[in-house]
């Protein structure tokens, strides 16, 4: 599988927003756009990442950027997760892994010797024209949202 590389256009895929409506990624042009993929709602690292993006969400918006978190969890689970932690950052579902495949984040993983398919924590920053400006793969949560915000500010 080919992973998306800087300079590529945002893939023409549709996710499902937390409210259940379709969300076309190609509609996210015209301003910088941060798309982050995470493994699972309400787990330690994923909660911390969502909280970090939420804490900086107003700064992202001031910089003109939109942020969207994506996992394979259902819209109902996203709504529960958002309410539980008072998250500001919107979340979307990709339960069929279409976007995850397009971005190369649906990968084989290993835990305790067991192989399985899962989501590689990754973030993609698109410029206003829809081209991929920067990629972070195998993300470590600590300090990540701040690094992404700095990259957004360097674009604008």
């Amino acid at each position: 599988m080919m992973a998306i590389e800087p300079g590529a256009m945002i893939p023409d895929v549709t996710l499902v927003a937390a409210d259940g409506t379709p969300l076309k990624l190609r509609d996210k042009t015209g301003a910088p756009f941060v798309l982050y993929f995470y493994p699972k709602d309400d787990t330690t690292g994923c909660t911390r990442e969502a909280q970090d993006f939420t804490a900086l969400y107003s700064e992202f918006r001031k910089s003109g950027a939109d942020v969207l978190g994506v996992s394979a969890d259902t819209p109902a689970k996203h709504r529960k997760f958002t309410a539980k932690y008072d998250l500001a950052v919107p979340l979307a579902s990709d339960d069929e892994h279409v976007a995850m495949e397009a971005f190369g984040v649906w990968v084989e993983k290993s835990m305790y010797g067991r192989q399985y398919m899962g989501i590689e924590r990754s973030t993609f920053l698109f410029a206003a024209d829809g081209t991929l400006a920067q990629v972070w793969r195998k993300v470590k949560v600590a300090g990540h949202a701040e690094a992404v915000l700095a990259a957004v500010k360097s674009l604008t």
Side-chain angles (χ1 to χ4, degrees), residues 67-147:
V67 180
L68 180 67
V70 178
S71 77
D73 292 307
T74 65
K77 249 188 121 177
H78 285 330
R79 288 190 301 273
K80 184 177 178 184
F81 181 47
T82 297
K84 181 175 181 180
Y85 294 101
D86 196 26
L87 302 176
V89 65
L91 304 176
S93 297
D94 184 23
D95 65 343
E96 294 181 7
H97 314 131
V98 174
M100 292 171 200
E101 294 273 355
F103 282 87
V105 301
W106 185 246
V107 299
E108 187 173 283
K109 297 172 102 177
S110 177
M111 184 183 294
Y112 305 117
R114 183 178 71 88
Q115 303 292 106
Y116 64 98
M117 295 301 289
I119 301 166
E120 177 182 82
R121 189 182 310 276
S122 303
T123 302
F124 300 84
L125 171 59
F126 290 90
D129 67 358
T131 59
L132 183 58
Q134 194 163 344
V135 178
W136 294 262
R137 293 194 181 272
K138 297 184 181 177
V139 166
K140 302 294 182 223
V141 173
H144 178 62
E146 292 86 352

Side-chain angles (χ1 to χ4, degrees), residues 36-73:
Y36 77 93
F37 290 90
Y38 65 97
K40 192 167 177 57
D41 287 348
D42 212 4
T43 57
T44 305
C46 299
T47 299
R48 178 83 263 144
E49 186 175 28
Q51 289 172 324
D52 289 352
F53 274 112
T54 289
L56 296 173
Y57 191 64
S58 65
E59 290 296 313
F60 279 101
R61 297 304 296 147
K62 270 191 234 173
S63 297
D66 199 3
V67 180
L68 180 67
V70 178
S71 77
D73 292 307

